[in-house]
Amino acid sequence: EAAASEAAAKEAAASETPPADPLPRAASSSAARGLEACRSLLRWATERGARTGSVAVRASCGGFGLFSAVPLRSGGVAFSCPVSCALTPGAALADETVGEELRRLRLTDEQLVCLYLLHCRRTPSSHFAPYLQALPSDDEAAALLPQLWPDGEERRARLAGTPLLRQAEAG
């Protein structure tokens, strides 16, 4: 009887459809690229003096983020990064290729950073390339904006109970 049960179980298993891959191949390769971009960013920051020993890269909200790898006490530091790793107005103005032109434009700090970010995004050899490669693509970023989600029940369901529902519908 045990042999018959075992044979029936094997036959049933053989006839079952294998489970679907939880991530489509394109999404898997996209996720792998995102994970590698975050790890590259962490290496880049560490090489420039960031203290990253207490953080780990993990999946979060459709992308990746840095999370404390150890319990932290109140006031504890999980990550510290020198200002040389920050995309600031000062970094924009100090850039050898566009700094002089940016100074002539007399822009606000926000405008400086926005223009410099665009410049760096179009310059693969930019000092900030590892940071920019870790950011979502334009399409990925747009998918995160409720204003760009299709109108209807899905958007209302995703945003139910948040203040974003009214803002997204005002659009």
Side-chain angles (χ1 to χ4, degrees):
E1 196 172 299
S5 291
E6 187 176 314
K10 284 183 182 179
E11 185 177 317
S15 68
E16 288 180 17
T17 306
D21 189 350
L23 288 175
R25 291 290 166 223
S28 294
S29 63
S30 176
R33 281 192 305 276
L35 180 59
E36 183 48 40
C38 286
R39 288 179 175 154
S40 176
L41 173 61
L42 214 48
R43 282 190 302 273
W44 172 84
T46 302
E47 290 166 0
R48 283 157 182 75
R51 292 193 335 230
T52 62
S54 297
V55 294
V57 176
R58 294 192 190 132
S60 168
C61 301
F64 294 92
L66 293 180
F67 293 85
S68 179
V70 297
L72 291 175
R73 296 182 209 199
S74 178
V77 176
F79 179 85
S80 69
C81 190
V83 73
S84 63
C85 293
L87 212 154
T88 64
L93 295 173
D95 186 274
E96 294 176 4
T97 58
V98 296
E100 188 175 326
E101 186 61 34
L102 291 174
R103 278 190 292 282
R104 272 187 260 187
L105 294 174
R106 299 182 185 264
L107 303 168
T108 67
D109 285 353
E110 185 176 88
Q111 291 168 330
L112 272 172
V113 170
C114 287
L115 278 176
Y116 190 53
L117 177 62
L118 290 171
H119 164 74
C120 290
R121 195 161 185 142
R122 305 285 187 266
T123 310
S125 61
S126 162
H127 169 74
F128 295 102
Y131 168 68
L132 298 171
Q133 290 166 357
L135 294 175
S137 70
D138 293 344
D139 290 338
E140 291 167 332
L144 299 173
L145 298 173
Q147 293 86 344
L148 300 178
W149 294 345
D151 290 336
E153 289 303 312
E154 182 182 353
R155 177 164 66 178
R156 282 191 279 289
R158 286 176 157 187
L159 298 176
T162 73
L164 294 176
L165 179 58
R166 189 177 61 240
Q167 292 173 7
E169 288 180 341

